[in-house]
Amino acid sequence: MRVRIMTFNVENLFRRLPASHGPAFADRFGLSEGTRPSEESLIAEAAALMQEDEERGLAAQAIRAGRPDVVLLQEVAGPQAMSLFHDRYLTRLGGPELRHRAMLEGNDSRGICVGVMSRLPLDAITSHRHLALGDLFDDGFRFEDHGIKHRSVVHDRLYSDPTTAVFCRDCLEVRLEIAGEPLLLFAVHFKAALPSRAHTLMARLAESAGVAHLIRTRAQARGHERWIVGGDLNDYHQVEGSAAEGHGLAPLLDSGLVHDPMERLSSPKDRWTHYDPGEDRYRQLDYLLLSPRLAADNPDAKPEVVRSGQPWRAERVADARFPRVGWDRPKASDHCPMVIELRI
């Protein structure tokens, strides 16, 4: 049986940010001079609603283009938001009917979660939001083994505390039964690189180690051989084929537990899922990592990156864009959805 698995960071699904006011107002909304301050908030709210509607439609088109059987979503405000998006946008625009859906509350203070929508029945859902650093320390994980100085660990009140939660959001474990075989999906959304990549390095090191720990204890220990780690890892281990130093993904990528099929793309310049306009850099932040068994069973499987919903400022996009995509917005998301077809 063949199955198509997608990951997509849909960027603040139904979580509106305050509308801009002041000097940037006219630039953002293209308004003529002379708008009264008392009118700005009403116009901004109306414009934000219209823009949000267009962006959700573009996100739905991006999913439809990938033809997934299962979608791992990041940055969704809750189960209701996911269902509304599915019913009001995805199915109405001709996308797949993904009637099996699940989302559990995670650790994010803003309420954005990871979730799953699937054409296939979901056999089991498990949240790992309560996994603690002490569990990793007991498993042999040490920050010092990944270039963090011992004194930095000792003086860090958060990451020296064994009770600190590993995942800033969650690692949602999803079990499917495909052709009589179990397939485990570990859906994640790692800590963002804010205020800087170096400042948040320890968070992603812990999360990477946490996923590896779960694979060993939840998959390997039970005799499973097929698993996928999917989501926005918010870090990159290479840039256009050259190794990128200082990333927080080593505990997972170097564990021997996963294979990154993006490396099968012949051109390193095609291995990107996110464009950073501030640095004018194209990087891979989103991943579908395969277990060694899945990678061996699917030696020719390559990820398909849907870039038609990217804004025009991402000038490297070669695909025809969806109608209504703008220079900066509207857009499907700041991330590209990625899908891979596997034989189980």
Side-chain angles (χ1 to χ4, degrees):
M1 179 177 178
R2 292 191 172 275
V3 60
R4 293 176 65 84
I5 309 291
M6 173 181 279
T7 181
F8 190 16
N9 181 328
V10 287
E11 190 183 12
N12 291 312
L13 182 63
F14 295 101
R15 178 67 68 183
R16 297 190 195 101
L17 302 177
S20 296
H21 294 277
F25 182 80
D27 289 338
R28 176 170 181 177
F29 295 109
L31 301 175
S32 60
E33 295 182 2
T35 304
R36 294 179 220 168
S38 61
E39 298 172 338
E40 287 191 358
S41 61
L42 295 175
I43 296 173
E45 178 66 15
L49 285 169
M50 289 186 291
Q51 179 178 288
E52 182 178 270
D53 181 70
E54 290 211 67
E55 295 199 332
R56 299 320 167 206
L58 291 169
Q61 290 183 66
I63 293 175
R64 181 183 64 179
R67 299 177 289 108
D69 298 300
V70 182
V71 183
L72 306 178
L73 292 172
Q74 302 92 50
E75 290 201 23
V76 182
Q80 183 182 18
M82 183 168 59
S83 293
L84 288 173
F85 171 69
H86 176 272
D87 297 342
R88 294 184 180 180
Y89 294 92
L90 185 59
T91 57
R92 290 181 180 180
L93 289 171
E97 183 177 354
L98 306 171
R99 61 189 183 91
H100 303 283
R101 300 186 286 272
M103 179 176 293
L104 300 176
E105 183 180 355
N107 295 320
D108 191 282
S109 59
R110 296 179 297 161
I112 60 172
C113 307
V114 293
V116 58
M117 302 191 303
S118 175
R119 181 180 60 81
L120 306 170
L122 306 177
D123 190 54
I125 304 291
T126 305
S127 169
H128 295 293
R129 60 171 295 193
H130 297 301
L131 184 72
L133 281 177
D135 299 314
L136 304 189
F137 296 155
D138 292 342
D139 198 30
F141 172 72
R142 297 290 181 269
F143 286 107
E144 292 88 341
D145 295 336
H146 299 281
I148 306 298
K149 295 181 179 180
H150 179 69
R151 64 175 180 270
S152 298
V153 178
V154 171
H155 292 295
D156 191 304
R157 294 182 180 180
L158 187 63
Y159 290 102
S160 62
D161 183 352
T163 67
T164 295
V166 169
F167 298 108
C168 70
R169 296 176 179 97
D170 198 357
C171 178
L172 195 66
E173 179 185 332
V174 181
R175 177 188 167 107
L176 305 173
E177 289 284 345
I178 300 178
E181 296 285 345
L183 174 64
L184 297 183
L185 308 178
F186 295 93
V188 294
H189 185 187
F190 284 3
K191 178 74 173 179
L194 297 173
S196 70
R197 187 166 173 245
H199 184 80
T200 51
L201 173 62
M202 291 178 70
R204 290 185 298 281
L205 284 171
E207 290 177 305
S208 297
V211 175
H213 170 81
L214 291 174
I215 291 174
R216 286 191 291 265
T217 59
R218 303 282 300 181
Q220 281 190 326
R222 300 178 181 184
H224 298 314
E225 294 184 300
R226 297 173 178 85
W227 58 79
I228 300 172
V229 179
D232 175 7
L233 305 192
N234 263 319
D235 210 340
Y236 49 93
H237 63 100
Q238 60 175 250
V239 177
E240 299 185 355
S242 299
E245 301 298 328
H247 67 82
L249 308 181
L252 179 59
L253 296 184
D254 297 343
S255 65
L257 298 170
V258 294
H259 169 77
D260 185 3
M262 280 286 268
E263 297 181 3
R264 297 174 176 176
L265 299 184
S266 57
S267 173
K269 289 193 173 184
D270 288 337
R271 302 171 191 168
W272 66 274
T273 65
H274 181 271
Y275 171 65
D276 182 348
E279 298 185 22
D280 192 25
R281 301 297 293 271
Y282 297 81
R283 303 181 177 113
Q284 180 188 359
L285 300 185
D286 305 88
Y287 296 78
L288 287 168
L289 304 173
L290 309 181
S291 70
R293 173 65 185 275
L294 278 178
D297 287 348
N298 296 270
D300 299 322
K302 298 178 183 179
E304 304 165 30
V305 184
V306 180
R307 300 194 173 104
S308 297
Q310 284 292 290
W312 285 93
R313 69 188 184 188
E315 297 178 345
R316 188 180 289 181
V317 174
D319 303 331
R321 285 178 169 83
F322 300 134
R324 300 291 299 161
V325 168
W327 173 256
D328 174 59
R329 53 171 68 90
K331 60 184 182 296
S333 171
D334 55 345
H335 290 253
C336 301
M338 177 168 59
V339 63
I340 191 167
E341 183 171 313
L342 301 172
R343 179 174 57 84
I344 306 296

